[in-house]
Amino acid sequence: MYIMKNKFKKLPKFKNEEQERGFWYTHDSTEYLDWSKTKTGIFFDAKPTTKAISIRLPQITIAKLKNKANRMDVPYQSLIKQYVETGLNK
């Protein structure tokens, strides 16, 4: 009896997450990965993917943000992210 060993396609190298996301949107992972050999994992300190944006704010607002962030001993960009997240969760 001849048993054919599973052959999987070779994964391409991706330049960025967006390119990889597009690839998996149009391809079946079972052609590339042997899911029978997977293991469950826990990812500590995993951070969501971020994207840089530009936003125009009055200089006085930026000065106030920097001042408050300095008093709180946090980067002002982090403070802005906290404010945005709080506003979205209301």
Side-chain angles (χ1 to χ4, degrees):
M1 181 167 110
Y2 178 74
I3 300 175
M4 190 168 104
K5 189 173 183 178
N6 284 338
K7 296 278 184 174
F8 294 98
K9 294 179 180 178
K10 186 176 178 181
L11 279 173
K13 295 200 185 275
F14 304 106
K15 293 180 183 175
N16 53 46
E17 262 187 59
E18 186 175 336
Q19 187 183 44
E20 183 175 2
R21 192 177 305 111
F23 176 84
W24 289 119
Y25 186 74
T26 58
H27 291 79
D28 182 357
S29 65
T30 59
E31 295 177 7
Y32 296 87
L33 305 168
D34 185 355
W35 288 103
S36 68
K37 296 181 181 178
T38 61
K39 297 179 182 177
T40 302
I42 298 173
F43 297 95
F44 295 98
D45 297 327
K47 296 180 181 178
T49 303
T50 61
K51 181 176 182 175
I53 63 165
S54 294
I55 183 170
R56 295 191 181 278
L57 296 172
Q59 288 182 343
I60 188 70
T61 302
I62 296 169
K64 288 178 183 178
L65 278 164
K66 286 182 176 182
N67 190 315
K68 184 165 186 170
N70 190 38
R71 289 194 315 265
M72 297 171 68
D73 198 28
V74 298
Y76 78 98
Q77 296 96 335
S78 297
L79 185 59
I80 292 170
K81 287 187 261 184
Q82 288 175 10
Y83 286 159
V84 170
E85 191 66 33
T86 299
L88 290 172
N89 289 329
K90 284 187 176 183

